[in-house]
Amino acid sequence: MTEADYDNDSRHSAALKGDEVQQRRSSSPGASHDFSSEKDKSERQEEDGEAEELRRLLQPIVEELPETPPSAVQTNFTTYFAPDFMKPGHDQYVHRHANGLCVIGLAPSHVAFKEEGEITIDFNVGKFDRLGMKVTGKRKKNAQHFESNTALCKVCTGDSSFIVRCCVKGSLLEVNERLIKQPELLRQMPEREGYIAIIMPKPGDWIKAKASLVEEKEYKKLRS
C-alpha cells in the first residue's frame, strides 16, 4: 500500500466515524431537550415550594389565632406577681420592660378589689409625699431609692385601707398622678392606666427581686 493510499484510508475512516456520531446525535434529538425540561420542572417545583411557605407565613391558620389580639402590655412587658406581699391577699404585679423599667400595680386578685364602696388613693405616706418627687434628666436626678417593702401609697375602700409597696428595690421614677382625680382606674384598668408607679432597679437588685416573684402561669394556678 502506498503512502497516498494509506492517507486516503485514514480520511475515509475518520469520515465514517463522524457520520456515526452524527447519526447517534440525530437518532436521539430529544435527549438534550429532555434534560432541559427536567431541570425546568425541578426549578418550578422549588419555586412553588417557596411560594407556599411564604403564603403560610403571611396567611396564618385562622384556627390557631388567639380570640383577641395581645395587648400592649403583653407585647412589650413580661409580667410577674408578688402574691400575699407582706400580708395575705395583698397581691401585686410587676410589669418588666426589656429596658429594665418595672411598672408596679395591684393584681386583679388584690383584696382591695373585694371591698365595696368608693375607692381612693393617697400618695402621702412615709416621710415624703410621693407626688412631690420630681425626677429630671437622663440621670434621673432627684429619684428616691426605695427598698422592696417601702410604701408607695395607701388605697382606701370604705372603712378599709391597704398599703401598696414597691415589690422591687430601685429608684422611684414616677407615680401615677391620674389616680388622684380618677381613682376608678384602679378597678377598671388596674394593669394598664390604673398602675401605681414606675421603678428602675439595678440589674443585681432585679435578679434578687425576681427570685421572690412568680410568673403569670403560676400566679393563675395560685388564684384559680
Side-chain angles (χ1 to χ4, degrees):
M1 180 182 291
T2 63
E3 185 176 349
D5 293 338
Y6 179 81
D7 290 340
N8 288 333
D9 289 343
S10 298
R11 286 194 293 270
H12 181 67
S13 298
L16 289 175
K17 289 181 179 179
D19 291 342
E20 290 176 359
V21 171
Q22 183 65 30
Q23 288 176 359
R24 284 198 298 270
R25 289 178 177 174
S26 61
S27 65
S28 56
S32 176
H33 177 71
D34 290 344
F35 177 76
S36 298
S37 298
E38 288 297 327
K39 183 178 180 182
D40 292 342
K41 183 179 179 181
S42 177
E43 290 178 351
R44 285 196 298 270
Q45 289 176 344
E46 184 176 350
E47 290 174 357
D48 291 343
E50 292 177 352
E52 181 62 29
E53 177 66 13
L54 182 60
R55 281 194 295 270
R56 187 184 66 80
L57 293 173
L58 296 178
Q59 300 176 356
I61 301 173
V62 176
E63 291 76 9
E64 296 180 356
L65 295 175
E67 294 183 2
T68 57
S71 66
V73 170
Q74 293 172 321
T75 302
N76 300 313
F77 294 84
T78 302
T79 300
Y80 300 89
F81 292 88
D84 301 321
F85 193 74
M86 299 190 68
K87 284 188 177 182
H90 286 224
D91 298 349
Q92 295 184 220
Y93 68 76
V94 178
H95 294 322
R96 187 174 188 271
H97 194 272
N99 63 10
L101 287 176
C102 292
V103 180
I104 312 299
L106 301 185
S109 57
H110 195 284
V111 66
F113 297 137
K114 299 177 182 179
E115 299 286 327
E116 297 181 355
E118 183 181 4
I119 190 169
T120 59
I121 187 168
D122 184 6
F123 285 104
N124 189 9
V125 292
K127 296 181 180 180
F128 304 99
D129 185 350
R130 308 306 185 213
L131 289 174
M133 298 179 180
K134 302 299 180 182
V135 179
T136 59
K138 292 183 178 180
R139 295 182 179 276
K140 310 303 178 186
K141 187 178 180 181
N142 300 326
Q144 297 292 314
H145 304 284
F146 292 149
E147 297 293 327
S148 61
N149 61 353
T150 301
L152 285 171
C153 66
K154 180 168 61 175
V155 173
C156 301
T157 56
D159 297 329
S160 303
S161 62
F162 310 90
I163 298 296
V164 182
R165 303 184 186 275
C166 294
C167 291
V168 297
K169 180 181 179 180
S171 301
L172 178 62
L173 303 186
E174 71 172 63
V175 294
N176 189 0
E177 298 183 10
R178 289 182 62 186
L179 296 179
I180 299 298
K181 294 183 178 181
Q182 297 176 276
E184 67 276 6
L185 291 176
L186 277 172
R187 279 201 175 108
Q188 295 172 356
M189 293 177 283
E191 296 187 74
R192 295 191 297 169
E193 284 83 349
Y195 74 94
I196 300 294
I198 297 177
I199 292 176
M200 173 61 88
K202 294 180 179 179
D205 291 331
W206 166 248
I207 292 175
K208 294 178 182 178
K210 183 181 176 181
S212 65
L213 304 174
V214 300
E215 296 184 358
E216 186 171 11
K217 186 176 181 180
E218 185 176 350
Y219 163 75
K220 288 182 176 180
K221 286 183 178 180
L222 289 172
R223 295 296 180 254
S224 61

